[in-house]
Amino acid sequence: MGDAVTASASLGATPGPEGAAAPVLAISGVSMRFGAVQVLFDIDFDLRAGEVHALIGENGAGKSTTMKILAGYQPPSGGQVLLDGAPVDFAGSQQAEAAGVVMIHQEFNLAQQLTVEENIFLGRELRRGPFLDHRRMQAESRALLERLNCAVDPRAAVSDISVPNRQMVEIAKALGREARVLIMDEPTAVLTTRETEILLEQIDRLRAAGTAILYTSHKLDEVARIADRVTVLRDGRHVLTAPASDLSTDRMAEVMVGRELSDLFPPKPLPGDETVLKVEGITIPGLIHDAGFTLRRGEVLGFAGLVGAGRTELMEAIVGLRHAAGRVEIKGQQLAGGSVRAARQAGLVYLTEDRKEKGLLLGKDLTQNLTLLALDRFTNLLIDRQAEAAALDRAITEFDIRAGDRGMNVGNLSGGNQQKLLLAKTMLAEPDIVIIDEPTRGIDIGTKQQIYAFIAALAAAGKSVIVVSSELPEVIGLSNRVAVMAEGRIAGVLEGDEINEQTIVRLAIGMAGSEARAS
Amino acid sequence: MTKTATSPATRASPTVNLHVLGPVLALLLLIALGAWLNPNFLSYGNVTNVLARSAFIGIIAVGMTFVITAGGIDLSVGAMAAFVAGLMILAMNSLIPIMGVGIPVILAGMAVAMVAGFIAGWLNGFLVAKVGIEAFIVTLGSMGIYRSLVTWIADGGTLSLNFDLRTLYRPVYYDGILGVAWPIIVFAAVAILGEILMRRTAFGRHCAAIGANEQVARYSAVNVDRVRIATFVLLGMLVGLATIMYVPRLGSASGSTGVLWELEAIAAVIIGGTVLKGGFGRVWGTVIGVLILSLIGNILNLASLVSPYLNGTIQGVIVILAVVLQREKKAAGAR
C-alpha cells in the first residue's frame, strides 16, 4: 500500500539487539509427509530480523518443502509455524505475503507478457481514481530496480528481458511488497559471477535494513560469504545449525553429504588423435559470429563464457535446433543442418541446460521420458514395453536414479535425479559425441561428483564430450581443452597450463584474446 | 483448495481410479437407467440403431483424440464431412454416364472421399505446423470455407445421389455381417486400431510428448511438424471414412449435413478423459464418450421423462462435469 521505496527501510527500526533478536518467523517440530513418504522429520528452524540464515542440503534433503511451509504454500503435517512467536496457520501464500513473508522461486513467478512495472505491482496496482497510475508505478519500479543496480526499463515486457534481470525483477517485486521475511530459493542459479555479486550486495543492504532472509544455494562459497548462520538438512532431518563463521565450505559439504568428499573431479583421460567433430564458420546473425572448433575422440572440451556469450546458441545450431550458416562435419561426413534427428543418427546428441522446459516431460513417468529420444530403438511397429522397462531398470542402476516409484511423474523427482534421468535418456541414443549444457545446474555436490565421474568415464570409453558450463571449476576440472566464448565468438581455445581461472575470465570478458591465441 | 493439491503422493490414491473409471461408470449407469426406463432399450434393434448412428461421430472422434492429444484442435470436421459428402455424391453422379451404375462407381466415390479427406486434413495440418497459425484459427477458417463450399456446390439445396446407385450403396449402412451393421464394425475397427496406435506406437507416444511440451519433443529429436501434420491428416481421412459410411444412410448432402459434429466429437474426446490442452489422450475413453453422448439422446427419446429437446442441456452438463473431474486429477498430479 504505502510508499514501497521507503517501506523496508522504515522497518529498520524494529530489529532487536544483534544476535539475540527474537525470531520473526520460525517452525518448530515440523514434519511433513506426502502419502506414505515422510520428507521432513521434526525440523526446527528460525529466521531473525537483520540476519541471513542459509539453508543447505543435497537435492531431496527437504529444503524446498521447508521453504514452502515457511512461506505458507503448504501446511505441515505436524508441528507449528510461528510468526513473531505466535502460532499461525497460513491458509496460502497470499496470507503469508500479507504478513510480510515473501518467497522468491527458482522458477520465476512472473507474467511473461506483462511489463516489468505491471509485474512488480501485480495485485496491488496504484490507482488514480478508477484508472491505473502508470506514471507513479513506473517511477517506483525504477527506484526499486535502481536499488538493485538493475537498469531494466520498467516498460519492457518480462519476456524480452534477460534471465538474470528477471531474477532482479522478482526481488524488486518482493521489495515492493514490504517483505519482512524474504525466502530465496537458489537466487543465483541463473546469475553470472558479476550479477551474483550485485545480488549479494543487495542482500547485505536488506539485512542491514532489518529484513530476515532465508538463503539457499548449492554454491557454498556464496553461502560462506553471505550467511550469518547456516542450517544443514540431510534426508529430511536437521543436522546442524551453526554460525557461518565456524564453518568452512569443505565442512559444509561434508555435513551435507554425510561423508568425507574425496577429490571432486576424477583424473582426466587422455584423448585420442582422431577428429570426430569439426565445426566451421557457424554464424547466426546477431548471436554467433564465425565460430569453429574441432573435437577429438575421447576428448572433453569445455566451453566457458559469460551468460549470453552464445554458448548454448552455438551448440543448438550444431545439433540442428537452430538455423545457422556454417558447416558441421562428423567423422568427415557433413551433417545436414536443421535436423536434430539427423544429428542423432550421426551419433551427436545435445543435452539441454533447461531440463524442466526442454529436457523432460514433467507430467509423464520415468519410462516415457527415458525412451523418448531413442524410441526407434524400442519400436518394431509397436513399442516393446518390456524392453522399455528393462532399459529403465538399467538406467536406474547405472545412473543411480532415486525414484520412490517408477510410475511417478518426473516433475516430482528432485533436480539431481531429473538430471540423471536426462543423462540416461541421452545416453540411450548411444551417441559418440555428447554435448552437455550446464551438467550440474541446481544440483547438490554429491550428485555433481557422480556426474563428473560419469563424464570422465564416457571420455575414457572413447566418446567425445563437450561440457558447456558457467561454473569455472567444473570446466577446468573436467576438460582436456577449454574454448572460451565472448559475445558470440570463440575468443580462444586453451590447453594444458593455460586452463586456469584467470586466463578464462580474461578471455570471457573480451580481454587479451590475441595473447591467448598466440600460444 | 483441497489437500490433494499439495500432496503428490495422493496421485496413486482412489482419486485417479475414479478418474479412469469415471466414464465407464457413467456409461454403465446410463445403460442401467435406460434398461430400467424402457424394456426396449436393450433390444437388438435399439442397440444397433444407437451404435450405428454414433459410428460417424465415433470414427471422427477417434481421429480428434490424436489431434487434441498433440495439442491441437479441429473445428472443421463437421463442415469437412459435409463437403466431402458433397464431392463424393457429385463425383459418383458424374461417373455414372461413363461407368454405369455399379460397384466401381461406388469404389471411385469412396476413393474420392478418402483423397478429399486426406487433402483437407493435410491443409489444416500444414497451416498449423508449417505456417504456424493456431489450430483453433486455422480450423475455424476452414470450417467456414467447407460449409460455404458445400452449400455452393449444392446451390443452396440438397445434393442427391442417383437413385439406382443409392439402392446399390444402401447396404453399406444398413447391412452387416452376423447381424452387426457395417458402421459398427468399421467404428470398432477404427477404435481398436486407434487405441493401439495411441498406446503402443511411437506415433502415439510422440503425439502425447508434443502435446505435453513441444520444446521437449523438439529437443528429443521428434519431428514435431511431421507428427502434427500427421494427426490432422489422420483425422481428415477418418472424416472421409465416416462420410463413406454416412452417404448411404440418406443418399444426400446439403449445407446442414454434419452440423455440430465437430462439437460432439470434441465433447466425446473430453468426456473420455483426454486433456484438452494436450499431452494425454486415450482412445478407449473417447469411444465411451461417444456412447455416453448418443445414449443420452436415445434415452430421452425412449423415455418421456424429460423432453428430448433438453438433450443438449444434459450433454452440456456432462461435458462440464467431465472437465471438472479432469481438473481435480490435474491438481492432484501437480508438483
Side-chain angles (χ1 to χ4, degrees):
Chain A
M1 301 248 295
D3 189 355
V5 183
T6 56
S8 64
S10 70
L11 282 165
T14 44
E18 258 322 280
V24 187
L25 185 67
I27 51 176
S28 151
V30 156
S31 63
M32 188 73 196
R33 55 174 71 244
F34 294 120
V37 187
Q38 182 151 8
V39 296
L40 288 183
F41 300 85
D42 193 27
I43 303 282
D44 291 326
F45 184 84
D46 63 67
L47 289 164
R48 298 176 193 152
E51 179 197 58
V52 175
H53 192 162
L55 182 63
I56 59 175
E58 291 190 276
N59 289 325
K63 288 172 304 189
S64 297
T65 312
T66 306
M67 285 187 281
K68 283 181 184 164
I69 290 171
L70 281 164
Y73 284 83
Q74 287 174 347
S77 311
Q80 279 186 323
V81 181
L82 304 160
L83 183 67
D84 295 320
V88 279
D89 199 1
F90 292 133
S93 59
Q94 283 96 337
Q95 249 186 49
E97 274 191 26
V101 180
V102 179
M103 175 158 171
I104 298 175
H105 292 263
Q106 207 173 347
E107 297 100 31
F108 305 128
N109 274 339
L110 294 174
Q112 299 279 317
Q113 313 316 330
L114 297 188
T115 64
V116 168
E117 163 226 326
E118 284 165 333
N119 267 290
I120 290 177
F121 282 90
L122 194 62
R124 52 176 203 100
E125 289 82 1
L126 304 180
R127 293 204 181 87
R128 192 167 48 191
F131 301 109
L132 292 176
D133 189 350
H134 276 290
R135 195 175 302 169
R136 220 171 94 217
M137 287 194 283
Q138 271 169 26
E140 289 192 14
S141 301
R142 197 165 279 133
L144 283 168
L145 290 165
E146 259 166 31
R147 283 172 60 191
L148 296 167
N149 285 339
C150 173
V152 162
D153 185 344
R155 289 166 301 184
V158 166
S159 55
D160 293 341
I161 66 175
S162 70
V163 171
N165 279 334
R166 287 180 205 175
Q167 177 77 67
M168 294 301 178
V169 171
E170 274 274 15
I171 294 165
K173 187 174 157 188
L175 292 181
R177 268 153 224 247
E178 308 174 27
R180 298 166 62 201
V181 178
L182 209 50
I183 297 172
M184 306 176 103
D185 187 3
E186 288 194 45
T188 56
V190 293
L191 301 188
T192 61
T193 317
R194 222 181 329 169
E195 289 154 348
T196 301
E197 200 42 51
I198 295 172
L199 179 72
L200 294 183
E201 276 168 23
Q202 191 53 36
I203 292 175
D204 272 336
R205 229 180 295 178
L206 288 169
R207 163 166 54 194
T211 313
I213 295 163
L214 188 162
Y215 187 87
T216 59
S217 178
H218 285 302
K219 300 174 186 166
L220 298 179
D221 48 340
E222 272 171 37
V223 171
R225 143 95 167 75
I226 195 75
D228 299 303
R229 280 194 298 159
V230 177
T231 290
V232 184
L233 298 183
R234 194 197 310 144
D235 299 330
R237 290 184 167 83
H238 177 266
V239 187
L240 172 86
T241 298
S245 49
D246 295 357
L247 292 170
S248 66
T249 50
D250 286 345
R251 178 78 190 120
M252 285 184 214
E254 276 172 32
V255 177
M256 273 168 63
V257 181
R259 60 188 149 87
E260 255 180 69
L261 281 170
S262 53
D263 205 2
L264 198 54
F265 297 99
K268 299 176 187 178
L270 283 178
D273 292 330
E274 183 196 347
T275 297
V276 290
L277 176 71
K278 192 169 163 199
V279 175
E280 279 176 347
I282 298 282
T283 300
I284 307 173
L287 286 172
I288 306 293
H289 188 77
D290 193 23
F293 63 89
T294 58
L295 180 67
R296 281 175 293 171
R297 186 180 157 80
E299 184 180 33
V300 179
L301 174 63
F303 262 80
L306 301 178
V307 170
R311 292 168 300 166
T312 296
E313 290 78 3
L314 173 61
M315 298 308 154
E316 290 185 345
I318 291 169
V319 296
L321 282 160
R322 276 174 193 269
H323 287 285
R327 188 180 160 85
V328 177
E329 252 178 42
I330 295 175
K331 292 178 188 154
Q333 298 274 320
Q334 187 172 358
L335 181 67
S339 167
V340 194
R341 186 153 276 238
R344 155 159 144 45
Q345 271 153 8
L348 168 67
V349 294
Y350 169 70
L351 200 152
T352 173
E353 58 174 337
D354 190 350
R355 61 175 171 262
K356 292 193 173 188
E357 285 302 318
K358 293 172 181 162
L360 297 170
L361 298 169
L362 300 180
K364 300 271 177 204
D365 63 20
L366 274 70
T367 313
Q368 291 192 36
N369 273 288
L370 178 67
T371 58
L372 187 59
L373 177 63
L375 198 55
D376 47 353
R377 288 190 47 216
F378 295 88
T379 311
N380 184 6
L381 199 60
L382 297 186
I383 295 171
D384 183 346
R385 286 197 263 191
Q386 276 174 345
E388 276 192 305
L392 181 59
D393 284 336
R394 278 198 306 276
I396 285 176
T397 324
E398 192 180 336
F399 293 88
D400 187 31
I401 299 168
R402 292 174 207 171
D405 159 22
R406 300 165 60 109
M408 76 193 283
N409 282 351
V410 163
N412 291 330
L413 289 176
S414 71
N417 283 312
Q418 286 180 353
Q419 187 71 10
K420 290 192 235 170
L421 179 65
L422 191 55
L423 266 173
K425 166 184 167 178
T426 309
M427 295 320 296
L428 210 50
E430 297 184 337
D432 298 320
I433 307 165
V434 194
I435 303 175
I436 309 182
D437 201 345
E438 301 292 355
T440 63
R441 176 177 285 174
I443 281 182
D444 64 76
I445 195 146
T447 309
K448 267 187 184 176
Q449 198 180 16
Q450 287 179 318
I451 288 178
Y452 295 153
F454 176 75
I455 290 173
L458 267 184
K463 314 272 186 193
S464 309
V465 187
I466 294 176
V467 173
V468 178
S469 175
S470 296
E471 290 185 38
L472 284 183
E474 192 167 287
V475 174
I476 295 168
L478 287 172
S479 313
N480 300 113
R481 287 185 301 150
V482 175
V484 185
M485 286 191 75
E487 291 172 8
R489 292 162 200 269
I490 294 183
V493 179
L494 307 173
E495 278 181 74
D497 292 342
E498 298 167 338
I499 304 179
N500 57 59
E501 265 187 59
Q502 212 181 352
T503 317
I504 293 175
V505 169
R506 280 158 67 97
L507 280 174
I509 60 177
M511 285 168 59
S514 51
E515 193 182 311
R517 224 179 311 221
S519 59
Chain B
M1 269 150 275
T2 54
K3 291 240 165 62
T4 52
T6 53
S7 155
T10 48
R11 258 186 73 253
S13 72
T15 334
V16 173
N17 288 341
L18 189 73
H19 176 74
V20 172
L21 291 177
V24 181
L25 287 177
L27 181 65
L28 291 177
L29 215 70
L30 271 178
I31 292 172
L33 183 74
W36 177 65
L37 285 173
N38 191 323
N40 280 332
F41 178 74
L42 288 177
S43 69
Y44 168 78
N46 189 53
V47 170
T48 297
N49 181 32
V50 169
L51 289 178
R53 276 162 172 267
S54 53
F56 315 125
I57 301 284
I59 292 167
I60 294 171
V62 168
M64 188 70 82
T65 311
F66 286 88
V67 170
I68 291 181
T69 300
I73 189 118
D74 192 339
L75 301 172
S76 70
V77 290
M80 193 193 290
F83 178 58
V84 171
L87 278 185
M88 192 181 169
I89 291 170
L90 215 59
M92 287 193 287
N93 282 348
S94 54
L95 280 176
I96 289 175
I98 308 163
M99 301 168 75
V101 173
I103 289 172
V105 177
I106 292 173
L107 290 178
M110 288 178 172
V112 167
M114 294 308 286
V115 170
F118 178 94
I119 293 172
W122 183 84
L123 272 175
N124 278 339
F126 177 81
L127 289 171
V128 171
K130 294 285 186 188
V131 187
I133 313 172
E134 275 183 63
F136 188 95
I137 309 288
V138 167
T139 59
L140 189 66
S142 53
M143 172 172 87
I145 292 167
Y146 295 136
R147 183 62 67 198
S148 94
L149 282 180
V150 70
T151 314
W152 177 63
I153 57 176
D155 205 12
T158 303
L159 279 168
S160 292
L161 187 60
N162 173 287
F163 188 78
D164 295 331
L165 201 59
R166 204 188 299 182
T167 321
L168 194 65
Y169 196 177
R170 259 178 73 90
V172 170
Y173 179 78
Y174 290 96
D175 281 5
I177 358 176
L178 301 170
V180 185
W182 281 115
I184 302 175
I185 294 169
V186 173
F187 178 26
V190 166
I192 290 167
L193 289 177
E195 175 70 17
I196 292 171
L197 192 62
M198 180 68 91
R199 294 265 275 231
R200 299 296 307 275
T201 68
F203 175 69
R205 194 66 75 74
H206 286 168
C207 285
I210 291 171
N213 188 332
E214 188 180 325
Q215 288 275 43
V216 174
R218 235 162 62 79
Y219 277 72
S220 303
V222 174
N223 193 333
V224 173
D225 289 352
R226 199 159 67 189
V227 172
R228 182 154 280 159
I229 291 173
T231 61
F232 281 97
V233 167
L234 176 69
L235 176 55
M237 291 181 72
L238 288 174
V239 168
L241 186 61
T243 312
I244 288 172
M245 309 310 298
Y246 177 79
V247 167
R249 182 170 162 226
L250 296 178
S252 66
S254 72
S256 57
T257 300
V259 168
L260 294 185
W261 280 13
E262 61 282 343
L263 294 188
E264 269 197 62
I266 293 168
V269 171
I270 300 309
I271 291 172
T274 295
V275 179
L276 185 58
K277 275 162 75 183
F280 176 79
R282 52 182 187 207
V283 171
W284 67 263
T286 299
V287 173
I288 303 231
V290 170
L291 296 180
I292 288 177
L293 287 180
S294 46
L295 277 187
I296 292 171
N298 182 247
I299 290 172
L300 293 185
N301 278 324
L302 288 180
S304 45
L305 211 62
V306 186
S307 162
Y309 293 131
L310 287 175
N311 186 3
T313 307
I314 295 175
Q315 289 186 347
V317 169
I318 300 254
V319 171
I320 293 169
L321 261 178
V323 173
V324 170
L325 284 174
Q326 221 181 65
R327 197 174 50 186
E328 274 176 7
K329 183 225 175 188
K330 243 172 92 189
R335 275 158 279 164

